[in-house]
Amino acid sequence: MRELSPHELPEAIDRALTRTSILILPSDRDGAVTEVSPGKWAGPVPAPALILFTSGSTGKAKAVALSADALTTSARATERFLSGPGDWHLCLPVNHIAGFQVELRARLAGRAPVRAAAARFTAQSFAAEATTLLERAGDRPTYTSLVPTQLHRILEDDAATAAAARITHILLGGAAISPSLLERAEAAGLAIVRTYGMSETAGGCVYDGAPFDGVDVTITEAGTIDLSGPVIADGYVEIGADGAITPVESPALTVDEAGRRIMHTSDLGRIDSGVLSVLGRADDIIVSGGTNVSPHALESGLLPSWQKAGIEEMLVTWVPDEEWGRRIVALVRLADGGGGVGAEDPQESAQKLNALDHGMTGQLLPQLVFPVAEIPNRSIGKPDRQAAARIAADLIARDANTHTGELPVT
C-alpha cells in the first residue's frame, strides 16, 4: 500500500482504469489516497478500480468498490449531458465520489482541474479560482460541482456570483436543494444542473430528474428509489489488517436474474412524466403525535416564505417530548437582519414563521425555532441530522435554564 501525493493522483487514476492498481480513498478529507496491487483483491476478477467510503449519514461508513467501467461510464455520461469535454474546477473533497469524479472527468478531458487552494471554501476563494478557470479554458466549456451550502455562500457575494454566472454548467447535489435557492441562482444567471446519486452509483446518475442512458429508476411499493445500470457499484468490501480486500454481501446492493446490479436506496421518490423527484430519506421520517413528518418536505415547503422573513437556511430535526413523542424543531441560519428571529422566545419565533403564507396544510410544523451560526453539515455538505438533534436538545436545555435561572451543565 502506497500513499499518493495530490500531484500523483492523475496518473494513478490512469493505472486504476487500466486495472493495474486499485485506488483507495481515505475515510476523511485529511487522509491520503492510497494505491494497492490488484493482488490484494480477494474477490472474483476483475478487481475494482476504486474503493471509497460512504458518508456514514445513516450509521457506520461502508467501503464501496467501483469498477473502471462504472467510473468511466458515469464520467462520459456527464460529458454527454452537459456540453462535452471541458475544464473543471474542484472545490469538493476528493475522498468523496463527487470530488473524485471531478478529478476523473478532468483527466479524461485532457486537462487537470483548477483545484481549490484553501482548506475552507469561501466566496472570495471561489471567485478567484473561477476567474482562473475561465481565463484558462478559452473556447472550452467550463464546469464546477457544488453542494448547496457552497452555493448559498456564492450568492451572498457579488463577485463570486458574477464569476459563477460565466461558468457553462454548475452541478449541484449532495444534499436537499431548496426551491428558493434554485430561484435565486436562476435570477443571477447561473446554469444549475441538479444531480442525484451516491457513492454506490459512481456519483450523480440522475441530472435534473432525468437518468443517464442505461440507468433505470423505479419506485418500490414502500416509496423508495431503486437504481440499476452500468454505473452501479460492484458491492461493499472489507479491508483487512493485511490489506486484503474482501467482498461483503448486503441487501442494499443486489443482482437480479438478468445480471443487472441494483442499488436499493433509502431515499423516498416520485416519478412524474419520467422526471424523478427525491422527497427525502425514509429513515429521516419523524413520527410526531402519531403523524409521519418528512423533514425534507418541511424544509422545501417552508423555506421560500421563511427566507422573506430573514431566514437564509434551515434544517428540521426533533427532540424527545412526553406529549408528542418527538417535537419538531427547526434550526435556522439568519440572513442580515434576521427578521427578529432569535430576539424572541423560540416558540414565538415558530408561531411567527408558521403564520407566513407558505401554503402548507395537514402537516405538523416546527414548534420551536432556534438560530444557529452554521447549519450542521457533514464534510461533503450533506445535512447532519444527528448533530442537529444534539444541538436542538442543548439549545432547549439552555433556554429552559435561562428561564429558571439555573446554569446549564457543561
Side-chain angles (χ1 to χ4, degrees), residues 11-35:
E11 291 187 357
I13 288 175
D14 292 346
R15 292 190 290 272
L17 294 182
T18 56
R19 299 181 174 88
T20 57
S21 72
I22 302 172
L23 293 181
I24 302 177
L25 303 187
S27 58
D28 61 74
R29 65 186 305 164
D30 295 325
V33 179
T34 55
E35 187 176 24

Side-chain angles (χ1 to χ4, degrees), residues 213-245:
D213 293 341
V215 172
D216 292 323
V217 181
T218 57
I219 306 300
T220 69
E221 291 184 0
T224 56
I225 301 169
D226 277 1
L227 301 165
S228 64
V231 298
I232 304 299
D234 289 345
Y236 298 108
V237 299
E238 287 184 351
I239 303 176
D242 60 352
I245 304 168

Side-chain angles (χ1 to χ4, degrees), residues 304-326:
S305 62
W306 284 27
Q307 282 190 325
K308 296 176 182 177
I311 305 300
E312 191 65 38
E313 295 180 84
M314 69 179 297
L315 185 62
V316 171
T317 185
W318 61 274
V319 293
D321 185 84
E322 290 185 3
E323 178 182 358
W324 294 87
R326 293 181 173 182

Side-chain angles (χ1 to χ4, degrees), residues 155 161 165 180-192:
L155 292 174
T161 300
S180 56
L181 180 63
L182 292 175
E183 290 171 4
R184 290 174 60 203
E186 182 180 5
L190 277 63
I192 300 295

Side-chain angles (χ1 to χ4, degrees), residues 53-362:
F53 294 86
T54 62
S55 64
S57 57
T58 58
K60 183 180 178 181
K62 299 176 182 177
V64 179
L66 289 163
S67 69
D69 289 343
L71 291 166
T72 53
T73 297
S74 174
R76 294 304 188 191
T78 295
E79 290 179 346
R80 290 193 297 273
F81 193 97
L82 303 180
S83 300
D87 280 24
W88 284 86
H89 168 238
L90 173 62
C91 58
L92 297 174
V94 76
N95 65 300
H96 288 280
I97 190 61
F100 181 84
Q101 272 287 9
V102 171
E103 285 280 359
L104 174 60
R105 296 172 196 138
R107 185 65 174 173
L108 294 177
R111 190 177 288 174
V114 173
R115 300 182 180 91
R120 178 177 172 79
F121 179 92
T122 66
Q124 294 73 28
S125 64
F126 172 84
E129 292 153 10
T131 299
T132 299
L133 174 76
L134 292 160
E135 291 175 348
R136 191 190 76 173
D139 294 333
R140 285 163 60 98
T142 53
Y143 310 117
T144 191
S145 184
L146 304 173
V147 294
T149 298
Q150 293 171 323
L151 181 57
H152 273 289
R153 294 174 184 172
I154 289 169
L155 292 174
E156 292 172 356
D157 183 272
D158 290 342
T161 300
R166 295 175 58 201
I167 294 175
T168 309
H169 293 290
I170 297 173
L171 302 183
L172 184 67
I177 306 168
S178 72
S180 56
L181 180 63
L182 292 175
E183 290 171 4
R184 290 174 60 203
E186 182 180 5
L190 277 63
I192 300 295
V193 176
R194 296 173 293 109
T195 72
Y196 170 68
M198 56 208 68
S199 300
E200 292 92 338
T201 61
C205 62
V206 178
Y207 282 8
D208 285 338
F212 286 166
D213 293 341
V215 172
D216 292 323
V217 181
T218 57
I219 306 300
T220 69
E221 291 184 0
T224 56
I225 301 169
D226 277 1
L227 301 165
S228 64
V231 298
I232 304 299
D234 289 345
Y236 298 108
V237 299
E238 287 184 351
I239 303 176
D242 60 352
I245 304 168
T246 307
V248 176
E249 291 188 4
S250 169
L253 278 169
T254 61
V255 179
D256 67 10
E257 294 179 355
R260 295 185 313 160
R261 296 190 303 278
I262 303 173
M263 175 63 195
H264 307 280
T265 80
S266 297
D267 296 322
L268 298 168
R270 180 181 64 239
I271 298 177
D272 295 315
S273 301
V275 177
L276 173 68
S277 296
V278 182
L279 308 177
R281 294 186 63 88
D283 41 22
D284 284 341
I285 294 296
I286 303 169
V287 181
S288 181
T291 300
N292 291 345
V293 179
S294 165
H296 176 85
L298 275 183
E299 291 155 2
S300 298
L302 294 175
L303 193 54
S305 62
W306 284 27
Q307 282 190 325
K308 296 176 182 177
I311 305 300
E312 191 65 38
E313 295 180 84
M314 69 179 297
L315 185 62
V316 171
T317 185
W318 61 274
V319 293
D321 185 84
E322 290 185 3
E323 178 182 358
W324 294 87
R326 293 181 173 182
R327 181 184 294 195
I328 309 298
V329 179
L331 304 182
V332 298
R333 183 174 71 84
L334 307 181
D336 293 339
V341 174
E344 52 200 13
D345 179 81
Q347 189 169 355
E348 293 177 1
S349 293
Q351 292 171 348
K352 175 181 176 181
L353 291 166
N354 289 336
L356 298 174
D357 184 16
H358 46 69
M360 299 192 71
T361 58

Side-chain angles (χ1 to χ4, degrees), residues 360-375:
M360 299 192 71
T361 58
Q363 287 201 64
L364 292 176
L365 301 176
Q367 297 171 303
L368 299 170
V369 173
F370 289 100
V372 293
E374 292 286 342
I375 296 295

Side-chain angles (χ1 to χ4, degrees), residues 384-396:
D384 192 336
R385 297 194 185 276
Q386 293 179 354
R390 293 193 297 269
I391 291 170
D394 288 344
L395 289 170
I396 288 174

